[in-house]
Amino acid sequence: MTELRCRKSETLEGDNEEEEKQKESELETKPPDVEQVNGSSAAAADGSQQKDEGEVKGGQHEQEESSRAQSCVKAKGLSASVFLQRLVRVFFGCLASVACGMLYAVYLSTYHDRKFWFSTRQELEREITFQGGSGVYYYYYKRLIAAPSFERGFYELVVDNRTVSGQTINAVERLSLYPELITSFIYRVTGSQDFVEPIYFYIGAVLGLQAVYVTALFVCSWVMSGTWVAGMLAVAWYVINRADTTKVDHAIPLRDNWALPYFSWQVTALTGFLRNKIGSSTEMFCYLTMSATTFTFLLVWEHSHYVLFIQGFCLFLLDSFDLVPPRKIADIHKVYLSSLFLAYMFQFQNTALLSSPLLSLLIGSVLARYFQQRMKVGPLVARVMKLFLHFYLVFTSGITYSYLVKKLIAANESDFILKFLEVKFGLNTTTDFVPNFLLCQESFQTPGQDLFLRLTQASVLPFYFLVLTVCLLSALQAIYRRLSGQPLCKTYSLENGGIGEKPEVVYHVFHTMLFGGLALLFDGMKYLWTPYVCMFTAFGVCSPDLWMTVFKWLKLKSIHPVVLSLILSTAVPTIICFSLWREFSPRVLAELSELQEFYDGDTVELMSWIKSQAPVAAVFAGSPQLLGAVKLCSGSAVTSLPLYSDINLLKRTEDAYQVYAMRSAEDIYKLLTAQKTNYVIIEESICNELTINKGCRIKDLLDISNGHIVYDKGEIYSFSKYGRFCHEIKMNYSPYTNYFTRVFWNRSYHVYKVNSVISFQY
């Protein structure tokens, strides 16, 4: 009986105790002669039980395998559905971004035609609409189209002796004419001359780039927030604040309008490249896009390296605070260096790039990193001290390099820029005409309060300060943790609530703060700051991460913070979009329905006279803006160009402006003949200028420069033994009639011929 009990306990380990007791009682009641039979039957029963147990286990294994297969199928189906959802979301996002860009281009084209009556004007009247001296760029495009071949036209621009009197200039290098070169080449190759006028093709190219600009802002806000609703809100704010985001309304050919779309895509590619959760193929695509757009941006705008210096400084801060992997910073430095080298070669060895602040910053960073290889290790206090030493090494190395390069290549523009900045920031005063003239330009003046009032009325500025405050505080928390030696979260989730740990967000915080500081000093910088204010603000209000960061600081417990952040990231932009649509859509549509009248009859009359009466080889002197129109409409040589980055042209502009000073006829005659001038144009708007800002009138700047200012009891008076030339010459008496002969006049302009033979009449 004990043997049977033992065998039973070995074979039926999985049975319960009740079954064991039942079988024991049955065995005890059986007779002894039947024990062997029972034992054999029990053994058979045990074998059958083992067989049944094996079958049960096999069935369980098959069920597990089938359940695993079903779970794999479900996972594949789930991943396929997730992929399909992402694909649909990306498709509609791309469709929305392209649609926004195309609609904006159509809107600009319609507005431009309504404003200038462009389609109903003659060729001369159309060309006069290029304001602010920007017409000189279109002149070179027109010249390339009219050349027998593209190669011949390119050679004539490189060796140009028909623009500035007495000088042979490389117009491609001096005026950054690569946009005109590329546009004219495409116009020739595509055979567009058969069905599109050159001026419409040129304007269409610029407006198409504005569509690219808007699309890039859309994509950048979409990439940062994760929803393309942010992109639509960014575009809406951009269009509403168009007066402060672009200059394309009144001066289409300006270099800014060609360059800034490439910069916007460069910033978008950089934003994607800085992200932590990014695939290798996507990272390579962002890297290649960033390389191409950086080079193009440097190629088409002479001031682009200053803009990239600000961007490079933002990345330098990210690297110093250890918020970006060193590998990515090294890759971005390679992009900068290769783009600078290629731009230097394509711009005919432009020495300004060798002494650019961007290259100085890169060299300083490389040297400082070499001497501080263990800068990012150690306790908090030690790392902060190393950080200050790192800043000192970078800037001293960069300044030393820039100083040596400028001494070696004898860059005379550095002194002019330095003097301008000293006067701008109140560190020095000067009576020189050139720096004071530049300070009186609208782009270099301090912006008025109306800029911030317009941004506030469009609701972008209040939300911008909210988004900037949250992101900045969160970024400071992340910087403190990094300096303390704590690692950042590599796998970011919404529950973490640390939006400042994203490198792309911290970059845009630095980006908007630095460009915003410059916009407070220079009104022209608002065109670099305001578009990214619209983009950054749209990202913030549509990002659940920002709201989750706020709720984490508030320690919200009554409502689940994740749910509330998702609700607010959808509700807030929806309310903003509805309010913008209700308030501003009638205004935008009204701009398209209104027929504005722009017709400058006096200028048209002047240009018609120059084309019909003036000799082909005549040289004209006047204000730079007017000379740009003269060059475009007549092709005549001029004494200067509306290019404020060239000190030599600015000096020639000062000599031409002396006709509004208190100088003798003989002095003016000598200055004009030194520039081989045949005709001088005097503008009534400058001669009789009446403005509130009296110190910025051209005649006031000339009086200060010439020492014709007298201070009496706090008042400023102009005094000279000669009368003001532009007034005296209209009197038609000697000695003015000895040197000059009036040949044309209307209400706005007086044209005087500079006599080649002086006739002394009394």
Side-chain angles (χ1 to χ4, degrees), residues 106-124:
V106 172
Y107 167 77
L108 285 179
S109 178
T110 308
Y111 176 77
H112 180 264
D113 188 72
R114 293 277 182 169
K115 180 178 180 180
F116 298 109
W117 293 51
F118 205 77
S119 57
T120 60
R121 300 293 188 189
Q122 299 297 322
E123 184 70 18
L124 178 63

Side-chain angles (χ1 to χ4, degrees), residues 540-562:
V541 297
C542 296
S543 175
D545 301 326
L546 182 131
W547 299 106
M548 189 63 195
T549 302
V550 175
F551 296 148
K552 186 178 180 181
W553 290 342
L554 298 177
K555 297 181 179 179
L556 186 66
K557 296 181 179 179
S558 58
I559 305 176
H560 199 287
V562 174

